[in-house]
Amino acid sequence: MYKRRSNNNNVIENDADASSKNNTPNGVGDSIKTSSNKDQERTNPMVYVIFISLLFDLLAFTIILPLLPSLLEYFKNNDSSGLYAVLTERIKWFQELVGAPDRFNSVLFGGLLGSMFSFLQFVASPIVGGLSDYYGRKPVILTCATGIALSYLLWAFSRNFAVFVLARFVGGLSKGNISLCMSIITDVSSGKTRGRGMALVGVAFSLGFIVGPMIGALFAIFSNKSAGPWFVLPSLLAFGLAMGDLLVLVFCLKETLPKEKRVKEISSSMTYAWQLINVSSIFRFATIKNVPQKEIKSLQTVGLIYFIYLFLYSGLEFTVTFLMYHKFGYTSMDQAKMFLTTGIVMTLLQGSVVRRLPEKDIKNYAVLSLYILVPAFMLVGVAHCSCLLYMGMILYAISTAFTVTCLTTLVSKYGNDDQKGSVLGIFRSLGALARAVGPVVGSIAFWCIGSKMTYVIGGLLLLIPSYVLQKTQLA
């Protein structure tokens, strides 16, 4: 006879072992239990290794954020491959039809690159997760980290637009490391320590998005004084951070999924990966079985709200750097200061308020945060001075600090104990899909009708998920 505890680690305990524990002399048994409890409450060292790895990775990833508008302008004027000119010629007829100015072409191409990167991540993450279930976490995450480092090296040597596009392609395919980090934390955490591990992930993201853009802008300014393309120093810094991440994983990370706990056939892992890529399946939460229909309906509703929100949000979020560049003439450093301001606001709120929200109020805070985003984007769209722009972006930061965390908490209560990981995996896939289509749609709108109408209309459309969530009675 066996007693199975259903969680991500599938711990199996033999009844004979339990019987032998009962025969342990008094005092000794109590000390064993106390020691076991302490072990369960102690954070596994691998969690800190993942935190350091993620910090290196996110610092490298965010370096490019304030530089992208200037990068595309550089390739517009210095593209020996001719790809930029070819793409410009292909869209010429549509550009004349809508009356879009030439200077907004970089916005359109930036949106295409952003959506390509996110779409590749959407496809790669489930496949990478499935491969790690069969081959183990460490070899797969090392492969991802190597690919990420290679993408930054390609960026450093990109003297034309085609190589830069290739660099973003390689980077997008390799970005399955984020979901793998979550899997590793799940492998080594108990119910009591998993929350602490995920909180460290949040800290890594906050630090990355606060510090990374500022570092990138500083190095871009410094490199302007030297000969050659100005982006070489920031890209080499990103490559150096990626190599640091790779070394941390090589020498410090231990395998967290032993062979006896891996899937026996890779086909079963790939089948589940396909279900996380199948658009129809993820919207229906089709893999969640033996759950009351009312809960499935609630999951589908929150999932659809999350997708609509992130679709609109990511499109407007991605184009804001181009708005600051083209409308306000912001330099890379000016944009980095904006990222610093919003990052600090988000970090303060997540550290002091969001993590202490009572469970009964989560839905109300989610609704409120969605509504706050409406005036945030409308202010950004109509802003004619930096003061109004900062007001809109601070409201954006307040909303962002709450929304994803609250919506994730809402869906995490659905499904059986052994289905929580699947529910959250599908939820993350919906988010990745939204980020894959949002930037290109937002950039096309920016290109066709300008920034003001794009942000005002986008802000008004955000009323839809806000209102639907407010009126929905969740199970």
Side-chain angles (χ1 to χ4, degrees):
M1 295 293 293
Y2 290 90
K3 180 181 177 182
R4 178 181 295 272
R5 176 164 60 87
S6 294
N7 61 13
N8 289 314
N9 293 327
N10 289 333
V11 177
I12 299 175
E13 179 182 65
N14 191 287
D15 284 345
D17 292 337
S19 175
S20 65
K21 288 176 186 174
N22 292 334
N23 294 327
T24 306
N26 290 337
V28 176
D30 291 340
S31 65
I32 292 174
K33 288 179 182 178
T34 302
S35 175
S36 177
N37 288 336
K38 286 182 178 179
D39 287 341
Q40 288 184 350
E41 293 177 4
R42 188 180 297 118
T43 301
N44 191 288
M46 291 305 103
V47 173
Y48 298 110
V49 173
I50 289 300
F51 169 74
I52 295 169
S53 168
L54 270 177
L55 189 57
F56 274 116
D57 176 66
L58 291 165
L59 285 172
F61 174 73
T62 54
I63 279 175
I64 198 174
L65 295 182
L67 311 180
L68 192 56
S70 300
L71 267 172
L72 291 170
E73 286 298 313
Y74 171 85
F75 288 119
K76 175 183 176 181
N77 300 318
N78 302 273
D79 182 22
S80 58
S81 71
L83 178 61
Y84 199 104
V86 169
L87 292 175
T88 301
E89 189 61 35
R90 291 287 175 87
I91 62 170
K92 198 73 177 176
W93 68 271
F94 189 67
Q95 181 182 2
E96 292 173 353
L97 180 67
V98 299
D102 285 340
R103 67 194 182 96
F104 285 173
N105 286 353
S106 62
V107 183
L108 179 63
F109 297 153
L112 289 168
L113 282 174
S115 283
M116 179 194 74
F117 188 94
S118 296
F119 177 75
L120 290 169
Q121 187 175 0
F122 164 69
V123 173
S125 292
I127 295 174
V128 162
L131 290 173
S132 76
D133 286 340
Y134 182 77
Y135 292 106
R137 310 295 190 212
K138 185 168 182 176
V140 179
I141 200 170
L142 286 177
T143 303
C144 288
T146 302
I148 291 168
L150 176 62
S151 73
Y152 295 131
L153 190 61
L154 283 170
W155 174 27
F157 287 98
S158 60
R159 297 301 179 266
N160 58 61
F161 190 53
V163 177
F164 180 68
V165 172
L166 177 62
R168 300 305 288 169
F169 186 90
V170 173
L173 275 181
S174 305
K175 263 296 170 182
N177 67 315
I178 302 294
S179 59
L180 270 183
C181 287
M182 306 294 187
S183 298
I184 290 170
I185 289 174
T186 300
D187 289 341
V188 299
S189 300
S190 65
K192 294 181 179 180
T193 62
R194 192 169 297 127
R196 272 178 263 163
M198 294 305 174
L200 279 175
V201 171
V203 171
F205 269 86
S206 297
L207 288 174
F209 278 84
I210 289 173
V211 180
M214 186 65 70
I215 294 175
L218 285 169
F219 270 73
I221 291 171
F222 178 76
S223 61
N224 277 334
K225 301 174 184 178
S226 61
W230 60 267
F231 55 82
V232 171
L233 276 179
S235 55
L236 286 178
L237 173 62
F239 173 69
L241 289 167
M243 288 303 297
D245 177 23
L246 186 58
L247 290 174
V248 167
L249 293 173
V250 168
F251 293 107
C252 300
L253 182 68
K254 296 178 181 178
E255 179 57 64
T256 61
L257 188 65
K259 288 185 178 180
E260 62 270 16
K261 292 183 180 179
R262 298 176 194 173
V263 296
K264 304 304 179 186
E265 296 181 3
I266 195 170
S267 58
S268 60
S269 287
M270 291 298 100
T271 299
Y272 180 66
W274 166 247
Q275 291 170 341
L276 292 182
I277 300 171
N278 185 315
V279 174
S280 173
S281 175
I282 60 177
F283 273 104
R284 292 183 291 110
F285 284 80
T287 60
I288 308 303
K289 307 291 186 183
N290 303 318
V291 172
Q293 191 61 31
K294 193 174 181 182
E295 286 196 17
I296 293 294
K297 288 291 184 184
S298 294
L299 272 174
Q300 292 170 348
T301 300
V302 178
L304 182 60
I305 288 168
Y306 182 57
F307 176 83
I308 295 172
Y309 154 73
L310 258 188
F311 165 70
L312 294 167
Y313 174 93
S314 62
L316 301 177
E317 175 196 44
F318 185 84
T319 54
V320 76
T321 57
F322 294 94
L323 177 142
M324 289 187 277
Y325 180 84
H326 288 289
K327 186 174 180 179
F328 292 92
Y330 275 19
T331 64
S332 296
M333 179 53 69
D334 294 328
Q335 294 186 45
K337 289 176 182 176
M338 181 68 80
F339 281 111
L340 178 65
T341 301
T342 56
I344 288 173
V345 171
M346 285 188 279
T347 302
L348 290 174
L349 287 172
Q350 288 170 337
S352 61
V353 180
V354 178
R355 68 187 183 91
R356 292 192 176 96
L357 293 178
E359 187 176 347
K360 62 183 178 64
D361 295 330
I362 291 294
K363 180 190 169 184
N364 293 333
Y365 277 98
V367 171
L368 178 62
S369 64
L370 284 170
Y371 275 123
I372 289 174
L373 200 55
V374 176
F377 279 119
M378 294 182 74
L379 266 176
V380 170
V382 302
H384 55 79
C385 62
S386 289
C387 183
L388 282 177
L389 181 63
Y390 264 85
M391 286 175 60
M393 291 301 291
I394 288 172
L395 283 176
Y396 150 89
I398 293 170
S399 172
T400 304
F402 285 86
T403 307
V404 174
T405 301
C406 289
L407 290 176
T408 304
T409 304
L410 281 178
V411 300
S412 66
K413 69 179 184 178
Y414 297 115
N416 301 320
D417 288 344
D418 58 347
Q419 294 175 320
K420 301 293 186 183
S422 297
V423 167
L424 290 174
I426 295 169
F427 195 65
R428 283 195 296 268
S429 288
L430 282 170
L433 180 62
R435 287 190 173 277
V437 294
V440 69
V441 173
S443 297
I444 290 172
F446 191 114
W447 186 65
C448 291
I449 60 177
S451 59
K452 182 176 181 179
M453 290 300 294
T454 297
Y455 278 77
V456 170
I457 293 172
L460 290 173
L461 288 174
L462 280 163
L463 287 169
I464 297 172
S466 312
Y467 181 78
V468 171
L469 183 59
Q470 181 182 1
K471 292 300 180 181
T472 301
Q473 295 294 325
L474 299 176

